[in-house]
Amino acid sequence: QVQLVESGGGSVQSGGSLRLSCAVSGDTYSTYLMAWFRQAPGAEREGVAAFDTDGVGYYAESVKGRFTISQDTAKNTLYLQMNNLKPEDTAIYYCAATPRTGGQWWLLKVPAYSYWGQGTQVTVSS
């Protein structure tokens, strides 16, 4: 069974940057499609960025142009580069994996993902 471990969270001021990492172990990285989600206090978990089967990144409208999802398959690691951070980006960020393939409509949907990391806190102050 695949295991996911996030790192790289922290506290930054508005306009700052962070890069999150997600180390994947326990199974073949290429078996899964990977994504990032986040959950703010009192809010539902929401999709932030994900890869489709062709390796194309998909983004929530709220982060387009500011966040970039990437991966290093040789290192079994998923990344999320976050630039121009805003206070509303404050949340716990989770990486997720799914063996599902085909289509794009579900890529940022929580129920599509079977495996989750423990999360890493990102706090953006104004």
Side-chain angles (χ1 to χ4, degrees), residues 27-48:
D27 203 346
T28 305
Y29 185 94
S30 58
T31 301
Y32 302 90
L33 291 183
M34 304 296 297
W36 287 99
F37 288 77
R38 67 186 181 187
Q39 188 166 17
E44 294 186 352
R45 193 170 297 189
E46 63 176 3
V48 174

Side-chain angles (χ1 to χ4, degrees), residues 2-123:
V2 66
Q3 290 92 43
L4 311 175
V5 179
E6 303 95 336
S7 61
S11 297
V12 296
Q13 291 190 327
S14 183
S17 298
L18 284 173
R19 188 176 82 154
L20 305 183
S21 300
C22 174
V24 180
S25 62
D27 203 346
T28 305
Y29 185 94
S30 58
T31 301
Y32 302 90
L33 291 183
M34 304 296 297
W36 287 99
F37 288 77
R38 67 186 181 187
Q39 188 166 17
E44 294 186 352
R45 193 170 297 189
E46 63 176 3
V48 174
F51 279 117
D52 73 1
T53 306
D54 296 322
V56 175
Y58 283 79
Y59 299 89
E61 286 295 328
S62 60
V63 305
K64 278 184 180 178
R66 300 188 299 121
F67 289 13
T68 303
I69 189 172
S70 64
Q71 58 190 354
D72 186 336
T73 55
K75 295 182 178 180
N76 292 344
T77 303
L78 178 73
Y79 301 100
L80 185 68
Q81 178 66 43
M82 305 185 294
N83 298 328
N84 190 22
L85 282 160
K86 305 175 181 180
E88 51 264 43
D89 295 318
T90 295
I92 299 174
Y93 283 71
Y94 300 89
C95 68
T98 179
R100 182 173 178 172
T101 59
Q104 290 86 32
W105 67 268
W106 53 269
L107 287 173
L108 297 180
K109 304 294 187 183
V110 170
Y113 293 82
S114 308
Y115 304 98
W116 296 84
Q118 83 290 347
T120 185
Q121 177 71 47
V122 171
T123 303

